[in-house]
Every structure is written in C-alpha cells, then in structure tokens.
C-alpha cells in the first residue's frame, strides 16, 4: 500500500470547495458522495505557530487529504503545568481582559498561515480545551480539582470563569482570523466528576467558550473519555453542529445515539485499536479492518449525518501504513 501522493498548494485550495460542500451536507443530514473524514494526532510545536501550521497542512491536507483540517491544542495555555498546588493558587489564573497574549497570537498566526495555504474553502477548525481540561493540567494530581472545589468553591469558580472568558475571546479571534469553527474538547463529563459538580464548574464555562464561536459554521464538541460512565446526554443540547466521542470504548454506539439527537455525529473508528501501532500489520488487514468499522458506522448513522473519525487522537506511534489505510478505507464504501 503506497503512501498518498503529496499535493501542491494550488491543488489543495481547489479541492477545498468540494470538502466544504461535503462537510456542510453532512452537518445538514444530507446524503453525501462519501462521508467526510478526519483523524488527528498530537505534536510538540514548542509554542511555534509556524511549526503548528506546517504540521496541520502537511498532515491533514498534503499527506492524507482529509476533509477537515484540525489545528491541534498543543500550544499551552500560559500557566505552568502543575502550577496550582493549593486552593489559593487558583487566584493565579487571571482574566486577560483586552490584552493580547502570546497564546492567542500563536493560534491566530497559525490559522492565518493554514488558511493562506489551504485557500478560502477548506474546512479548518481550532482545537480548544475546556476550562475543566486546562484546570486538570494545572493541578498536581487529578483529584485535586474536586478537593479544592469542596474546600474553596469561590476560588475555583474564579479560575474557571477567567479561563472560559479568556478562551471565549481567544476562540472569537481565531474565527475572525479565518477558522470555520472550533473543536471543543470537554473533560470530566463522566464519573471522574459527579454530575451535579460538573453542572457547576463545567457546563456553564463550556457554554461561555462556545459563545466565542457563534460566527463559526463548523463547531464540533468532543466529549472526552473512554469509560461507559461518559454522560453524553448532558451535552446533547450544547449549541454545536457536530458531536464527537469514543463510540467503541464507552458503550455509546452510533446506533444508540442517533435517535437522541439530530446533530451530525463524528465517530466510527476505534482509536485504541492495536492495529494503529502494529508495524507488522499487513496492508490488506489494515484496510479491511478500517473499512469494516467505517461501513458499520455509516449503517448505524442511517447513511447520512456522519463525519468518519476516531474516538480521540490517534497515538503518536501510529504507523504511516495504518493512517494511510484509514483514509483509503473511506473510498471503499
């Protein structure tokens, strides 16, 4: 199985119109020539907008010819990892107000560079972590957020409100710079955070961030987690165009979710499959496996209203053969 041919910038820009129409049709629940497709993995851009832009164009467009270019969330929010050690440390999370930060400048620059290379029509989304997600990165251990909320709820709310307010402006700036929407990844909507507490420190701030994306036509919500306790129902009324989750590992199949929402569903492939990292896997084995999963997903979705994607990021150790087979499997449907 040969790698997909790299495409020059002019070809990418011309092909963006078909991709935009295909994605828009899927969002509207219309039958498409084939399901739109996207998959992704993380990188380490070191805070460099240029590195993130180059990776985005090369990975999503030139190498794999995916229908949505997803700018990853790999430039860190400006507070040190593990920087919150006591409840009082949540006061370190500031409201940026009208200040332009290097964090937003980097993403705006990335969006502009990607848009310039991919042209006016290629669908582009910016990955955004929720306030709870960033908060869990700030703390020294996962249970600390809940302990701090129990001990000093006002301090945690202070931090969450500031993060969400900052990200609302950040998202708005990215869309103004040329992104078509965001891919908001929310964490803790499962048994890691009890439902009543998530409704206090998660949901309101998720919705605040989404306010910044009001001008986007391609806003996607990723409910992160691989456990059956994932509370997808709590997110079905979020104001987004598509819903992403791990349909293979949570017990929430596409078929079970389809009757519950008219949102476009973004799922289908198992991101935990050992085939993704098996260097010895035969090309036909890979293609057969991914085609089977894609066909099942499309059937469960009723043949429309589906963006084919994995349940989360593909491992960074994924082999080129496995990712190439993912993309090529869609053409067999």
């Amino acid at each position: 199985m040969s790698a997909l041919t790299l495409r020059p910038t002019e070809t990418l820009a011309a092909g963006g119109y078909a991709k935009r129409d295909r994605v828009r049709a899927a969002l509207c629940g219309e039958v498409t020539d084939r399901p739109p497709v996207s998959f992704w993995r993380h990188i380490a851009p070191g805070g460099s907008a240029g590195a993130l832009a180059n990776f985005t164009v090369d990975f999503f467009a030139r190498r794999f010819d995916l229908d949505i270019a997803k700018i990853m969330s790999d430039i860190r929010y400006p507070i040190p990892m593990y920087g919150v050690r006591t409840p009082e440390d949540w006061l370190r999370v500031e409201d940026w107000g009208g200040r332009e930060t290097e964090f937003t400048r980097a993403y705006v620059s990335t969006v502009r560079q990607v848009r310039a290379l991919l042209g006016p029509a290629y669908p582009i989304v910016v990955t955004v972590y929720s306030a709870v997600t960033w908060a869990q990165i700030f703390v020294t251990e996962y249970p600390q957020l809940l302990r701090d909320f129990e001990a000093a709820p006002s301090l945690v709310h202070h931090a969450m409100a500031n993060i969400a307010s900052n990200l609302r402006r950040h998202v708005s700036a990215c869309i103004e710079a040329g992104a078509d929407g965001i891919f908001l990844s929310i964490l803790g909507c499962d048994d890691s955070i009890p439902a009543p507490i998530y409704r206090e420190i998660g949901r309101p701030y998720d919705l605040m961030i989404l306010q910044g994306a009001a001008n986007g036509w391609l806003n996607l919500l990723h409910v992160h987690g691989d456990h059956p306790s994932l509370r997808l129902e709590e997110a079905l009324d979020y104001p987004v165009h598509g819903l992403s989750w791990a349909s293979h590992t949570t017990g929430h199949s596409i078929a079970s979710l389809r009757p519950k929402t008219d949102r476009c569903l973004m799922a289908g492939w198992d991101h935990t499959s050992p085939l993704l990292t098996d260097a010895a896997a035969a090309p036909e084995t890979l293609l057969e496996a991914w085609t089977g999963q894609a066909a099942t997903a499309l059937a469960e979705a009723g043949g429309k209203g589906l963006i084919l994607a994995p349940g989360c990021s593909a491992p960074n150790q994924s082999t080129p053969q496995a990712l190439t087979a993912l993309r090529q499997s869609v053409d067999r449907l």
Side-chain angles (χ1 to χ4, degrees):
M1 185 187 303
S2 59
L4 297 175
T5 303
L6 298 183
R7 283 158 287 277
T9 300
E10 295 78 10
T11 303
L12 299 179
Y17 290 93
K19 296 179 188 303
R20 180 188 63 187
D21 291 345
R22 183 179 295 122
V23 171
R24 281 182 167 169
L27 297 184
C28 293
E30 299 171 3
V31 176
T32 57
D33 59 332
R34 63 162 176 78
V37 56
S38 192
F39 50 81
W40 53 92
R41 70 172 182 83
H42 287 282
I43 65 167
S48 166
L52 187 54
N54 288 337
F55 169 83
T56 303
V57 173
D58 289 344
F59 184 90
F60 291 92
R62 289 204 172 100
R63 186 173 182 187
F64 294 112
D65 191 29
L66 303 174
D67 291 302
I68 300 172
K70 181 174 178 291
I71 296 173
M72 298 301 290
S73 53
D74 293 338
I75 295 176
R76 294 289 184 183
Y77 188 100
I79 188 170
M81 185 180 295
Y82 313 134
V84 175
R85 297 177 179 276
T86 68
E88 290 71 26
D89 285 339
W90 290 109
L91 293 171
R92 299 176 57 199
V93 181
E94 299 177 333
D95 184 343
W96 299 339
R99 302 197 312 272
E100 185 181 32
T101 65
E102 184 55 40
F103 177 76
T104 296
R105 278 196 297 269
Y107 278 99
V108 165
S109 177
T110 299
V111 170
R112 287 174 176 162
Q113 291 178 64
V114 172
R115 178 58 73 199
L117 288 167
L118 296 186
Y122 204 116
I124 299 169
V125 296
V126 177
T127 307
V128 180
Y129 284 164
S130 69
V132 166
T133 305
W134 281 118
Q136 293 289 23
I137 292 172
F138 299 161
V139 298
T140 55
E141 59 175 343
Y142 202 88
Q144 183 187 335
L145 176 62
L146 291 181
R147 291 200 305 265
D148 287 353
F149 180 68
E150 183 178 358
S154 63
L155 298 183
V156 173
H157 272 296
H158 162 89
M160 293 297 178
N162 284 348
I163 295 170
S165 178
N166 295 340
L167 290 176
R168 178 179 55 191
R169 289 188 291 266
H170 170 82
V171 163
S172 180
C174 288
I175 291 177
E176 185 178 350
D180 294 302
I182 65 171
F183 183 94
L184 177 62
S185 178
I186 66 173
L187 179 71
C189 200
D190 55 23
D191 64 2
S192 65
I193 298 181
I197 295 178
Y198 193 85
R199 291 176 196 136
E200 276 201 60
I201 65 172
R203 178 183 171 91
Y205 304 116
D206 297 340
L207 296 175
M208 186 184 296
I209 294 168
L210 285 168
Q211 290 172 358
N215 290 331
W217 65 267
L218 182 53
N219 294 320
L220 305 169
L221 178 71
H222 175 66
V223 186
H224 182 78
D226 287 319
H227 196 271
S229 66
L230 200 69
R231 298 190 299 271
L232 283 174
E233 290 77 7
E234 289 195 29
L236 293 184
D237 65 341
Y238 277 41
V240 294
H241 304 100
L243 181 68
S244 162
W245 81 103
S247 59
H248 284 265
T249 59
T250 60
H252 297 288
S253 67
I254 292 173
S256 69
L257 199 62
R258 180 71 288 169
K260 299 177 181 178
T261 179
D262 60 358
R263 299 281 193 275
C264 182
L265 304 181
M266 188 173 186
W269 283 310
D270 183 3
H271 66 287
T272 66
S273 171
L275 287 175
L276 283 167
T277 56
D278 184 359
E284 272 306 313
T285 299
L286 294 167
L287 198 50
E288 182 178 351
W290 304 141
T291 303
Q293 289 187 11
T296 298
L298 187 59
E300 290 189 2
K304 57 187 179 180
L306 175 71
I307 298 171
L308 271 171
C312 199
S313 300
N316 281 1
Q317 300 77 23
S318 297
T319 66
Q321 304 96 298
L323 296 179
T324 298
L326 271 181
R327 173 60 186 85
Q328 291 180 336
S329 70
V330 182
D331 297 325
R332 284 196 170 188
L333 296 176

